[in-house]
Amino acid sequence: MAKQPQPISPFKNFFAGGFGGVCLVFVGHPLDTIKVRLQTQPKTQPGQAPLYSGTFDCFRKTLVGEGVRGLYRGMAAPIIGVTPMYAVCFFGFGLGKRLQQRKPDDVLTYPQLFAAGMLSGVFTTVIMAPGERIKCLLQIQAATGETKYSGSLDCAKQLYREAGIRGVYKGTVLTLMRDVPASGMYFMTYEWLKSILTPEGKSVRDLSVPRILFAGGLAGIFNWVVAIPPDVLKSRFQTAPEGKYPNGFRDVLRELIREEGVASLYKGFTAVMIRAFPANAACFLGFEVAMKFLNWVAPRL
């Protein structure tokens, strides 16, 4: 394993992670919109064509019907939430690594990196759950032609007025089920790829931009391979009418398996995979660039 940059600074991770998250949203949001619309489209009745036949059909219909702005529908919520969310995510990863070190120059094993990544998933849920709820509702609203919410803030206000804080945080357990193991895989894979892509005798600090992009993009794909099934359940649960699933995700899972089969747990797979590589490549590149800047301006932070 190539030696990891030392010492680990959770605070630098916090600021660099926020910048990386903004990069991720700008690159990946259009395909996130497609993913959510595919995951939440109504069940097809006998003899009736589905609303979207697949990823590219959904993309075409969204672009023709709503223009480029339609692909960025609901982006205000993740943009507002993503800077603190990814800041907290990378902070949690940095803290998880720091807590497992006995001395500052310890190099962590891959299971330890996985554990640190899982901690980051716990940290982000407080911010992630309401942002995901609002984003999903706004993304499907445009597809159904409804105008219940005028924007992210209006959506949050209505959710709180209708069901209190529980309405805003609906789907938190499923967000945890998605993000804890997926974040472990995400960060462990990134560190592993950086290690094997670092030339012999060189430091991971000096990894080239193309190699950072490749490692970050592939880490995003590994992340979503783990995350897609709970993400499908989360999207369905968060956008369902109040009271439809009284037993939570168990009811969503039973309904999906009964009516659409196991393959339904991977709805939106193509959109997710197309999005995962460029979005996460941009995220980690943004993180590494910001981290180098912080190391330059504040080497002792």
Side-chain angles (χ1 to χ4, degrees):
M1 183 187 300
K3 192 170 183 179
Q4 300 155 12
Q6 303 295 336
I8 295 164
S9 171
F11 295 102
K12 286 181 181 176
N13 274 31
F14 179 87
F15 293 111
F19 182 72
V22 172
C23 295
L24 180 143
V25 171
F26 274 110
V27 173
H29 190 79
L31 279 160
D32 186 69
T33 298
I34 301 304
K35 177 205 73 172
V36 171
R37 291 185 177 184
L38 287 170
Q39 289 177 345
T40 59
Q41 67 175 316
K43 183 188 174 186
T44 305
Q45 301 300 319
Q48 185 181 30
L51 181 60
Y52 307 116
S53 61
T55 299
F56 297 104
D57 181 55
C58 183
F59 179 85
R60 182 183 61 82
K61 287 180 178 176
T62 301
L63 197 59
V64 170
E66 304 168 52
V68 174
R69 291 182 63 183
L71 295 170
Y72 282 90
R73 192 79 60 183
M75 194 176 76
I79 280 291
I80 292 168
V82 81
T83 301
M85 182 191 73
Y86 270 84
V88 169
C89 177
F90 278 84
F91 173 83
F93 179 58
L95 181 62
K97 290 195 291 183
R98 187 77 168 265
L99 289 172
Q100 295 181 88
Q101 288 183 309
R102 293 184 178 179
K103 52 185 185 294
D105 60 345
D106 280 350
V107 177
L108 301 181
T109 64
Y110 292 121
Q112 287 176 313
L113 291 170
F114 186 85
M118 288 198 297
L119 180 64
S120 77
V122 175
F123 272 48
T124 56
T125 298
V126 174
I127 302 170
M128 191 73 156
E132 287 278 298
R133 169 99 153 115
I134 292 165
K135 172 181 69 70
C136 289
L137 287 170
L138 290 173
Q139 285 172 331
I140 66 163
Q141 173 180 269
T144 59
E146 296 177 1
T147 55
K148 184 178 180 181
Y149 310 114
S150 62
S152 299
L153 187 58
D154 180 56
C155 182
K157 286 180 179 177
Q158 289 196 45
L159 290 173
Y160 184 78
R161 189 164 54 244
E162 290 167 4
I165 197 69
R166 291 183 64 184
V168 177
Y169 274 87
K170 181 179 179 180
T172 298
V173 172
L174 279 164
T175 305
L176 273 171
M177 288 173 61
R178 181 191 70 177
D179 288 351
V180 171
S183 293
M185 180 64 73
Y186 187 52
F187 284 108
M188 183 189 71
T189 303
Y190 179 64
E191 295 290 343
W192 169 64
L193 288 167
K194 281 204 305 180
S195 176
I196 64 174
L197 290 171
T198 300
E200 189 69 31
K202 298 287 185 178
S203 168
V204 290
R205 290 177 183 268
D206 303 320
L207 208 60
S208 66
V209 169
R211 293 187 182 199
I212 291 171
L213 289 170
F214 179 76
L218 210 55
I221 288 175
F222 275 87
N223 169 82
W224 278 105
V225 166
V226 174
I228 287 179
D231 185 63
V232 172
L233 299 177
K234 180 197 68 64
S235 294
R236 282 293 184 101
F237 183 67
Q238 287 184 319
T239 58
E242 201 61 41
K244 182 176 180 181
Y245 301 116
N247 296 311
F249 73 90
R250 289 172 295 177
D251 286 350
V252 187
L253 180 61
R254 289 192 196 103
E255 181 184 84
L256 278 173
I257 299 297
R258 183 178 66 250
E259 296 184 359
E260 302 178 47
V262 176
S264 64
L265 293 173
Y266 281 87
K267 273 192 171 184
F269 180 83
T270 304
V272 168
M273 288 300 124
I274 293 172
R275 171 187 178 269
F277 193 95
N280 289 284
C283 176
F284 276 111
L285 180 61
F287 170 78
E288 297 289 355
V289 168
M291 185 64 79
K292 284 187 177 182
F293 176 76
L294 289 169
N295 285 332
W296 178 63
V297 299
R300 295 187 179 182
L301 180 64

